[in-house]
């Protein structure tokens, strides 16, 4: 078993549901590993017209698990003579109004061939739908990856667009040719959550567009 297989095995053993490698440039690194952790189907099923306390707690717990997986895999790489750079599970940088992280977890997962992006702007796993959280790890170990992005699977479906209480979804499908094109008015989404769901996690989560996605329900 080579180092690449060992790293992915560590991620799976620590709680990841799937993992894949990709090529992209980030801070002098060119090799990345993307992985997902599936959210509880039972917790997601309780989300109706607002997030639940159970979902908020579960969301934070899964994020903490993702950061632990990144650390465990990274330590293994360091011990074997390679550098690593973990991307925080749910970290905003450059001020809250940027709505951006150090690197797009969705971009890495799409390049790794783990799935696509739904009209709700969320990553849509081939196996688990949008009910997942993502982790991304960069390394200088050559992973011999070949990027394998997948096209949109949404078709004419507009369930998430119709269910969004903030009306912040454009309704456009993800386009591989324009992967960074925004499908979501992030400010409208954030402002609505802060106002409507302040008593549940201080308005930091919603989950409605995820819960109505037929791929998540399946």
């Amino acid at each position: 078993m080579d180092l690449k297989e060992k790293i992915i095995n560590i991620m799976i053993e620590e709680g990841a549901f799937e993992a894949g490698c990709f090529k992209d440039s980030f801070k002098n690194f060119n090799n990345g590993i993307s992985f997902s952790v599936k959210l509880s189907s039972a917790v997601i099923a309780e989300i109706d017209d607002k997030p639940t306390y159970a979902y908020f707690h579960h969301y934070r717990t899964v994020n903490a698990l993702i950061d632990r997986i990144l650390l465990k895999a990274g330590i293994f790489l360091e011990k074997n003579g390679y550098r690593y750079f973990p991307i925080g599970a749910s970290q905003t940088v450059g001020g809250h109004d940027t709505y951006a992280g150090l690197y797009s977890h969705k971009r890495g997962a799409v390049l790794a061939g783990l799935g696509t992006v739904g009209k709700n702007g969320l990553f849509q796993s081939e196996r688990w739908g949008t009910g997942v959280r993502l982790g991304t790890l960069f390394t200088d170990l050559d992973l011999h990856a070949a990027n394998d992005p997948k096209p949109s699977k949404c078709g004419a479906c507009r369930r998430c667009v119709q269910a969004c209480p903030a009306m912040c979804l454009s309704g456009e499908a993800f386009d591989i040719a324009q992967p960074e094109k925004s499908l979501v008015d992030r400010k409208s989404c954030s402002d609505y959550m802060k106002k409507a769901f302040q008593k549940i996690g201080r308005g930091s989560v919603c989950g409605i567009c995820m819960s109505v996605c037929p791929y998540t329900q399946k």
Side-chain angles (χ1 to χ4, degrees):
M1 185 182 295
D2 61 18
L3 285 180
K4 173 182 173 179
E5 293 175 316
K6 288 181 179 179
I7 295 164
I8 290 178
N9 279 349
I10 288 172
M11 291 177 166
I12 299 300
E13 289 172 359
E14 291 294 324
F17 276 64
E18 57 186 344
C21 303
F22 64 94
K23 284 283 188 183
D24 206 4
S25 296
F26 174 80
K27 292 184 179 293
N28 297 318
F29 291 93
N30 296 303
N31 301 275
I33 304 175
S34 173
F35 65 89
S36 70
V37 174
K38 183 181 178 296
L39 295 167
S40 163
S41 299
V43 171
I44 293 174
E46 289 189 337
I47 300 172
D48 187 11
D49 60 345
K50 60 182 178 298
T52 64
Y53 291 101
Y55 173 60
F56 172 62
H57 181 77
H58 185 52
Y59 180 95
R60 292 195 303 172
T61 303
V62 170
N63 281 345
L65 173 62
I66 288 171
D67 285 335
R68 174 184 170 83
I69 293 171
L70 290 168
L71 182 59
K72 296 279 281 191
I75 289 174
F76 174 81
L77 281 164
E78 288 275 8
K79 286 183 176 180
N80 282 274
Y82 296 95
R83 296 184 304 131
Y84 75 100
F85 199 109
I87 307 298
S90 188
Q91 180 186 38
T92 300
V93 300
H96 179 73
D97 290 340
T98 64
Y99 310 107
L102 285 174
Y103 179 85
S104 170
H105 292 292
K106 289 185 293 186
R107 176 180 173 84
V110 169
L111 291 177
L114 298 182
T116 183
V117 176
K119 288 182 179 178
N120 53 14
L122 299 176
F123 175 71
Q124 193 179 81
S125 166
E126 286 283 297
R127 296 183 63 190
W128 314 113
T130 55
V132 299
R133 300 290 297 155
L134 298 171
T136 311
L137 182 74
F138 282 94
T139 177
D140 55 2
L141 169 65
D142 189 352
L143 301 170
H144 305 288
N147 292 345
D148 184 28
K150 302 290 195 303
S152 170
K153 297 171 63 178
C154 294
C157 179
R158 290 176 56 85
R159 291 189 193 181
C160 60
V161 179
Q162 295 165 346
C164 176
M167 296 182 289
C168 66
L169 303 179
S170 71
E172 295 184 51
F174 172 69
D175 185 355
I176 291 175
Q178 304 178 67
E180 300 303 326
K181 182 179 180 180
S182 178
L183 308 178
V184 183
D185 182 339
R186 298 178 187 276
K187 186 177 188 308
S188 294
C189 177
S190 179
D191 289 348
Y192 184 89
M193 287 194 299
K194 288 178 184 175
K195 180 179 179 181
F197 309 139
Q198 182 63 218
K199 294 182 180 180
I200 305 174
R202 297 181 180 178
S204 61
V205 296
C206 176
I208 295 173
C209 65
M210 172 186 64
S211 67
V212 301
C213 175
Y215 287 106
T216 303
Q217 294 174 344
K218 181 175 68 175

